[in-house]
Amino acid sequence: MPGALRYRDPELCDQLASRYVTARMTPLSRRRLERLMRQEPVLEQAVARWADRMAPLHEALPAETPPAELWPRIKAAVQTAGDDGISPPTASRGPLFMWRTIAVTAVAAALALAVALWAHFPQRAETVTASYLAPLSHNGVVELVVSGYPGSPAGKAQLVVQWSRRHLPSDEGPLYLWAEDQRSQTLVYLGTFSGQNHHWTVSRTQWQAVAHSSRLLVSPDRDKADPATAEYIGPCLQLGDWQEKG
Amino acid sequence: MGPDRAAIDLWQAEVDTLITRIARHRDVSALEALYRLTSARLMGLTLRMLNNQADCADLLQELYLKVWQQAHQFGGRGSAWGWLCVMARNAALDQLRSRQHRGQELTRDIQPLMETLPAPCNDAAVSPGLERCLQALREEQRELILLSYIHGYSHQELQDLTARPLGTIKSWVRRGLQELKQCLER
């Protein structure tokens, strides 16, 4: 069964849901499933069923009274937070408006974050500056930045992956970086990395792919990638003088 | 259905109602009522995984703030209590993984857990389903499922604890959960 259609298969959904609810998933897989749940009602239903199957255990086991000062802390945090981050569905405006709003907000936030991150991330010791910057996000939150440094001499172009400070120490296994061509939407594999900061040299072909890409994305699979199910995805930003030579 | 189950059903219905009130009306008093209803159980849940009061209190603070901000994402496909349990467990697991070490000895003793659960009997009409079906599992399967679900042990930790091959552990847990599901659906 191809692509996202797999997640409409009740049997597969049930297996994934049992693994999710009983926490037999890596953080990366868990986040991917949470995103898929929002798109696939069958999967969301399967997770709800497993959650309800297992929840009685927590009803039966002993409760523990939390510290007395906890509720005042929560109340203060709620009042400070106000309605930040809340986007309840609105009946008067259609889903198209909502998605447009989300898309515009996400792009604006990504650009602002990219500039801020680029300014604050430690730069390489060399005087070479990045030609290319891609803030890659998950659920609208930028989690890592990929910078592209032109090669000198030719053929030594480098990609640098820097994770945000909030990123948890990874036990997620290898991740795979891809460039999406801005015209054909074909994907070109750029290399692999893990939960740590990392840099590597790319071939001339790969650098050209970066130069012609509209966005970069990260998949958990070496053999395939799909923007719809990418772990992290973000636009390419061209910085300063663009050089396509690698 | 015994009176305890009926009381739990009423309690769960109240939790559902409060989540809906939070989502629709931004009602802090509903959040406070939800906190009064659920915080002790969620504290127990997270404490069994993290074994640290201060960490659990911090985690609950984040959790209720998340509920305040994301109550509208509760789709109503299952119970709100199940939704809260999943969120609390995931947050605790994230915290466990960000620690260098668990901060407590791994325990293989599930007897205290089993003793706390209501005694099952063979009559499905009166015996709580999950406890009855857990008792019906093979001992190894029951042990692995409880240790991973209640204490949040990873497969690697279960391997360290039981000295069984990783593949065997994964297989036992997977089969055990399938048998649990089949039993609960009977």
Side-chain angles (χ1 to χ4, degrees):
Chain A
M1 199 176 287
L5 287 179
R6 295 169 65 226
Y7 301 107
R8 291 173 197 169
D9 173 8
E11 195 171 327
L12 175 68
C13 287
D14 185 70
Q15 285 175 20
L16 289 171
S18 77
R19 292 181 57 199
Y20 175 78
V21 170
T22 57
R24 290 176 298 125
M25 281 185 165
T26 63
L28 187 69
S29 302
R30 184 147 45 83
R31 288 199 297 271
R32 183 172 58 208
L33 197 87
E34 284 165 357
R35 191 178 57 243
L36 284 166
M37 273 162 56
R38 287 193 280 278
Q39 299 162 358
E40 299 296 342
V42 177
L43 186 57
E44 189 186 12
Q45 181 74 61
V47 168
R49 271 200 300 267
W50 267 105
D52 284 349
R53 272 182 201 126
M54 302 303 285
L57 271 180
H58 298 303
E59 294 156 13
L61 291 169
E64 293 279 342
T65 307
E69 72 276 10
L70 183 56
W71 170 248
R73 271 167 51 190
I74 293 169
K75 192 174 180 183
V78 163
Q79 284 164 347
T80 303
D83 281 355
D84 288 353
I86 299 165
S87 51
T90 53
S92 57
R93 293 168 171 174
L96 186 59
F97 175 86
M98 182 179 74
W99 285 112
R100 276 181 182 158
T101 306
I102 290 170
V104 168
T105 308
V107 168
L111 287 170
L113 274 166
V115 171
L117 286 167
W118 188 63
H120 287 92
F121 270 106
Q123 302 298 305
R124 297 198 317 171
E126 305 93 292
T127 53
V128 179
T129 55
S131 297
Y132 167 86
L133 190 71
L136 305 189
S137 54
H138 175 82
N139 281 344
V141 178
V142 174
E143 298 274 8
L144 69 156
V145 173
V146 179
S147 311
Y149 292 85
S152 177
K156 294 291 184 185
Q158 284 204 331
L159 294 182
V160 176
V161 168
Q162 287 176 294
W163 289 92
S164 110
R165 286 185 191 278
R166 285 177 320 207
H167 182 73
L168 293 167
S170 177
D171 56 356
E172 294 170 347
L175 297 167
Y176 303 93
L177 183 67
W178 304 75
E180 184 186 48
D181 187 88
Q182 56 190 325
R183 289 184 183 162
S184 66
Q185 276 82 52
T186 53
L187 296 170
V188 175
Y189 174 66
L190 297 176
T192 183
F193 62 99
S194 67
Q196 308 299 316
N197 293 340
H198 183 58
H199 63 90
W200 69 95
T201 302
V202 292
S203 69
R204 183 183 293 272
T205 306
Q206 288 171 320
W207 184 252
Q208 294 280 348
V210 172
H212 295 129
S213 67
S214 56
R215 52 186 178 172
L216 298 192
L217 56 110
V218 172
S219 81
D221 299 314
R222 169 66 181 88
D223 300 325
K224 61 180 179 188
D226 181 351
T229 57
E231 296 303 333
Y232 306 98
I233 191 164
C236 299
L237 301 176
Q238 184 178 328
L239 302 172
D241 293 328
W242 183 248
Q243 299 175 52
E244 289 190 10
K245 65 176 185 286
Chain B
M1 184 184 293
D4 286 347
R5 188 64 246 169
I8 288 173
D9 287 347
L10 274 176
W11 177 84
Q12 288 202 353
E14 179 70 13
V15 174
D16 284 351
T17 305
L18 290 170
I19 294 278
T20 306
R21 267 176 59 195
I22 294 165
R24 289 189 184 162
H25 306 299
R26 318 302 305 142
D27 182 350
V28 178
S29 67
L31 184 69
E32 183 171 6
L34 181 74
Y35 176 84
R36 304 286 172 219
L37 269 183
T38 57
S39 61
R41 288 185 197 273
L42 291 175
M43 186 78 180
L45 181 160
T46 53
L47 205 52
R48 280 185 281 278
M49 295 172 74
L50 300 177
N51 199 35
N52 180 301
Q53 289 267 358
D55 285 352
C56 291
D58 288 346
L59 187 149
L60 287 199
Q61 180 175 336
E62 290 298 315
L63 179 73
Y64 284 100
L65 189 58
K66 201 170 174 182
V67 168
W68 175 251
Q69 293 175 322
Q70 299 182 3
H72 62 278
Q73 288 182 9
F74 169 59
R77 292 185 187 278
S79 71
W81 171 239
W83 184 66
L84 288 173
C85 286
V86 170
M87 282 207 298
R89 290 193 74 247
N90 285 344
L93 286 169
D94 282 343
Q95 191 159 132
L96 273 181
R97 288 192 170 108
S98 69
R99 289 178 179 177
Q100 291 301 313
H101 55 82
R102 186 173 265 274
Q104 69 185 103
E105 291 293 317
L106 297 181
T107 175
R108 196 176 169 175
D109 186 6
I110 59 165
Q111 202 51 39
L113 291 177
M114 292 308 294
E115 284 170 1
T116 322
L117 298 176
C121 68
N122 291 327
D123 185 351
V126 295
S127 182
L130 185 59
E131 291 83 353
R132 178 173 49 83
C133 291
L134 275 171
Q135 293 285 5
L137 293 178
R138 283 169 49 198
E139 190 178 344
E140 305 87 14
Q141 291 175 324
R142 182 168 59 245
E143 178 187 49
L144 293 174
I145 288 171
L146 285 176
L147 288 175
S148 65
Y149 187 70
I150 301 295
H151 291 305
Y153 288 177
S154 65
H155 282 148
Q156 186 59 56
E157 286 172 324
L158 291 175
Q159 186 185 21
D160 294 344
L161 199 62
T162 62
R164 300 274 188 184
L166 199 56
T168 303
I169 287 170
K170 289 181 178 178
S171 168
W172 280 356
V173 172
R174 189 175 61 247
R175 284 184 200 160
L177 286 170
Q178 281 310 306
E179 287 172 23
L180 197 61
K181 177 189 164 194
Q182 286 162 8
C183 173
L184 287 167
E185 288 176 349
R186 266 180 222 142

